[in-house]
Structure formats: C-alpha cells, structure tokens
C-alpha cells in the first residue's frame, strides 16, 4: 500500500498556498525556484565529482520569526565540506506543511536556531558520502530523521544520523511526504487503542495529508473509517476521491451533528478511536459518537478553538483525551522503532 501525498510543494497546491498568501513571494513560489520540477529527479549521483561540485547552493532562509511571505528569503549559502560521517544530499522535492509555516511564525513546539533554512520534510538523493558512512551510498534516496533539518534548499551536507534511507522506486511525491503525515497516522492508529479488523475509527479533517494517510493505512489494517470533512460545492467529487483511497463513510460537519448520524452505527460499530485535527465544535461531536471507554487523540487545531469535552461524557462514558506530536514520539523512541512501519506505509513489505 503506497501512501499518496496530497499537500504539495513545487506546484503550489497546498491549502496554505492557495489561500490568501498566494502572492508573488510566497515560500511555495520561491520553492519552485530552488527545487527541480516535480517528477524530475535531476542529474544522476554519478555525474558529480569532488572537483566539479559547486561551493554554493540556493536555500529559503528566515532570520527572524514572522509572516512567511515577509521573512523568508532566497539566498545563496556556502556548501560545507563532506566530513567522515557526513552525507551530501541533492534535494529532489519538499512539501509545505502547516508545521513549516508555524515554525517560521515562531509558534511551533520546536524552533531551530536562527537564521534557519525552512522545511521539515522532503526527499533527497545522496551525492557523496564520507569515509565513515556505512548505511548510505551515492544514489540512495533519503528523508530527514527529525524535524528542523531545513529541506528547502538545492543541496546540503548532513550527518548520516540525521537521515533515513527510503526506497527509490516509490513515487517522488510520496517519498517527499513520507516522514510526517503517514507516520503520524500509523502511530495514532496503533498506539492508543488495540483495534482489530472490523473496528471503526472516526476522524475530522479527513482530506488533510494525515487524514488521507489514516484512510489508506486503516484500510490496510482492516479498519473501517468514518471521515468528516467540511461541506463544499464539489463534496461528491471529494467523497469519491476519499472512497477511492479506502474510506467507508464520508460525511460533512453538518451531517455529523444530525440525529440521522446514528444510522451509520447500524452497519458500523461505534468507534473506539477518534482523531481530531480541528478542535472546537468538531472535536465535541467526535467525542459524542465515541464508544464507551474510547479515546480521542488530538494532533492539530485547525479551527484555533479549544477542545470542549462534556463532563457527562467523561464521567459516564469514561472517555479519554490524549495528544500526539510525532517529534516528541521520536524523542521517546529509537530510530528503529520509527522506521519499522516504513515497509507498510511504502508498500515494500510488511511491518
């Protein structure tokens, strides 16, 4: 099962780019001047030699926090020499995620030292390796092991431990968006409730990057999904697309609040797991439909409103409220635990 990334980069099709910040100087437009066109992998690694390597690369840099359209600048940076444990990487593609924007604004849980190169996610090709590098070789595809690496640049030299190798025969866009959304989806599906095939999961923001990963991974695990989205003129088109990924039910926020919602549970068991990326009224409705003893995991707050939980639901249904942040999960677990699910989310074996 291959995860199909949706919130991309390069073409400027992310939700953030298509909104009010789609002017001439958005990071998305600048990013297209830094990275190769989507789908082109650039020169083969073997075409580089130590004598021909450029000493400077292009990068999107911010020296202070603020409005990304105002603080992000396209700059030339000096490329560091490759040390014994270093890896030189040519970036192939990098997305723009909400966390990237939050980090530039200065309101994210992890902030790199300034000045910093933007971008937490992406895929690159190894160009050269130091004499002490054992896991990677020229031509390999790699993604960041942790957030804050700075992927919005043409090339860079990273330490071997900062990179994770990924298959080079998966779609470029999938590889570029593999490290955050699918891994977040997988961990939330397996870490909070012991779900079995046939059990159901309910989530909001179902057409987000994480939401679509949840749909696909849940289907691979035999789980049934109830997917909540905002109403829109082309709702049927969106419904068809999510169902093509494996969604069983797609409903709008308005339908979630209607009494008819109970009809879904004549065919689908009440969910024991709810995944909340919105907050506000939407999260309250998710809680209302959870089975007794169920868990709601919050991993985002797109509505910028607090999660409101009914006292009666907490007392009489014994519901649990949890939070999830992938960066914190990585700090608490080994790299081997993080990479273990990769075969499942890339379709290259079983985890």
């Amino acid at each position: 099962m291959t995860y199909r990334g949706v919130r991309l980069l390069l073409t400027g099709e992310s939700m953030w780019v298509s909104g009010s910040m789609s002017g001439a100087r958005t990071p998305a437009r600048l990013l297209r001047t830094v990275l190769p066109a989507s789908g082109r992998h650039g020169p083969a690694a073997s075409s580089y030699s130590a004598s021909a390597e450029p000493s400077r690369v292009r990068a999107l840099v911010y020296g202070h926090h603020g409005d990304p359209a105002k603080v992000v600048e396209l700059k030339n940076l000096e490329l560091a020499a490759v040390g014994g444990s270093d890896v030189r990487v040519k970036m192939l593609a990098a997305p723009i995620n909400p966390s990237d924007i939050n980090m530039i604004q200065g309101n994210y849980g992890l902030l790199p030292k300034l000045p910093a190169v933007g971008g937490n996610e992406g895929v690159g090709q190894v160009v050269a390796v130091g004499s002490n590098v054992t896991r990677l070789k020229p031509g390999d595809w790699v993604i960041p092991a942790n957030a804050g690496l700075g992927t919005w640049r043409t090339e860079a030299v990273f330490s071997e431990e900062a990179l994770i190798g990924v298959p080079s025969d998966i779609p470029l866009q999938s590889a570029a968006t593999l490290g955050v959304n699918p891994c977040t989806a997988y961990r939330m599906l397996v870490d909070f409730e012991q779900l079995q095939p046939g059990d159901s999961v309910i989530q909001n923001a179902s057409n987000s990057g994480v939401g679509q990963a949840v749909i696909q991974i849940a289907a691979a695990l035999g789980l049934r999904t109830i997917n909540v989205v905002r109403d829109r003129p082309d709702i049927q088109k969106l419904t068809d697309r999510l169902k093509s990924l494996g969604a069983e039910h797609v409903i709008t926020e308005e339908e979630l609040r209607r009494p008819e919602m109970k009809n879904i549970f004549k065919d689908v068991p009440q969910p024991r797991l709810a995944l909340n990326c919105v907050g506000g009224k939407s999260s309250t409705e998710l809680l209302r439909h959870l089975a007794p003893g169920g868990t709601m995991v919050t991993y985002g707050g797109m509505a910028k409103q607090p999660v409101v939980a009914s006292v009666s639901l907490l007392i009489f249904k014994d519901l649990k409220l949890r939070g999830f942040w992938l960066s914190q999960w990585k700090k608490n677990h080994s790299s081997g635990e993080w990479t273990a699910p990769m075969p499942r989310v890339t379709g290259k074996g079983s985890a």
Side-chain angles (χ1 to χ4, degrees):
M1 187 264 309
T2 299
Y3 167 69
R4 284 170 271 177
V6 293
R7 187 168 285 181
L8 270 185
L9 85 156
L10 302 179
T11 58
E13 291 174 355
S14 75
M15 292 175 61
W16 174 76
V17 172
S18 62
S20 61
M21 299 183 66
S22 58
R25 202 181 163 280
T26 65
R29 290 178 182 270
L30 289 173
L31 195 56
R32 291 197 293 273
T33 71
V34 174
L35 298 178
S38 180
R40 284 183 247 153
H41 300 176
S46 60
S47 68
Y48 290 85
S49 65
S51 60
E53 293 176 355
S55 59
R56 301 185 72 82
V57 298
R58 291 178 296 169
L60 296 180
V61 181
Y62 56 101
H64 57 277
H65 298 122
D67 182 344
K70 296 178 180 179
V71 302
V72 176
E73 298 179 291
L74 178 61
K75 291 189 175 183
N76 290 321
L77 301 180
E78 184 174 348
L79 188 66
V82 177
S85 299
D86 292 336
V87 178
R88 179 176 172 178
V89 176
K90 177 181 177 63
M91 293 305 301
L92 303 178
I96 299 174
N97 287 312
S99 58
D100 300 324
I101 305 307
N102 295 152
M103 191 172 284
I104 296 170
Q105 293 169 332
N107 53 18
Y108 194 63
L110 170 68
L111 298 176
K113 182 179 178 181
L114 299 179
V117 176
N120 292 303
E121 193 177 25
V123 62
Q125 186 178 44
V126 174
V127 173
V129 300
S131 58
N132 297 328
V133 173
T134 58
R135 293 187 295 105
L136 301 170
K137 64 183 183 303
D140 286 352
W141 280 17
V142 291
I143 62 174
N146 294 293
L149 194 63
T151 57
W152 295 353
R153 58 178 115 193
T154 51
E155 296 185 47
V157 174
F158 302 117
S159 66
E160 181 184 19
E161 65 182 13
L163 303 169
I164 298 290
V166 298
S168 60
D169 57 351
I170 62 176
L172 182 68
Q173 294 181 355
S174 296
T177 55
L178 183 62
V180 176
N181 293 336
C183 293
T184 295
Y186 183 85
R187 295 263 55 105
M188 291 193 300
L189 285 171
V190 303
D191 287 353
F192 295 94
E193 289 286 342
Q194 300 301 309
L195 302 177
Q196 302 298 322
D199 287 343
S200 70
V201 177
I202 188 169
Q203 64 166 341
N204 55 25
S206 302
N207 59 321
S208 67
V210 171
Q212 294 190 52
V214 165
I215 291 171
Q216 295 172 79
I217 296 172
L221 295 174
L223 305 175
R224 307 167 74 176
T225 56
I226 303 167
N227 303 279
V228 184
V229 298
R230 290 178 296 176
D231 200 3
R232 63 200 69 206
D234 61 344
I235 185 64
Q236 189 57 52
K237 181 178 179 181
L238 175 60
T239 297
D240 293 343
R241 180 160 63 85
L242 295 183
K243 287 190 173 182
S244 73
L245 299 179
E248 183 160 346
H249 293 279
V250 179
I251 60 175
T252 66
E253 293 279 0
E254 291 75 16
E255 291 171 329
L256 182 66
R257 300 183 180 98
R258 294 175 184 169
E260 293 80 6
M261 180 67 188
K262 63 183 180 182
N263 293 329
I264 288 181
F265 300 117
K266 294 178 180 179
D267 174 56
V268 178
Q270 267 195 295
R272 290 164 42 211
L273 179 66
L275 306 178
N276 168 47
C277 184
V278 178
K281 294 180 179 179
S282 180
S283 59
T284 303
E285 290 298 319
L286 292 188
L287 281 171
R288 195 163 63 86
H289 294 293
L290 270 179
T295 301
M296 184 174 77
V297 182
T298 293
Y299 66 98
M302 295 172 62
K304 297 183 178 180
Q305 297 175 357
V307 171
V308 179
S310 163
V311 172
S312 63
L313 290 178
L314 295 177
I315 294 175
F316 301 121
K317 292 184 68 176
D318 190 26
L319 300 183
K320 299 179 287 291
L321 302 180
R322 300 288 303 276
F324 182 80
W325 183 31
L326 184 63
S327 294
Q328 186 62 51
W329 188 94
K330 289 179 181 179
K331 291 180 182 179
N332 297 338
H333 297 79
S334 68
S335 60
E337 290 177 280
W338 177 49
T339 56
M342 285 294 184
R344 183 178 292 279
V345 299
T346 61
K348 299 298 178 181
S350 57

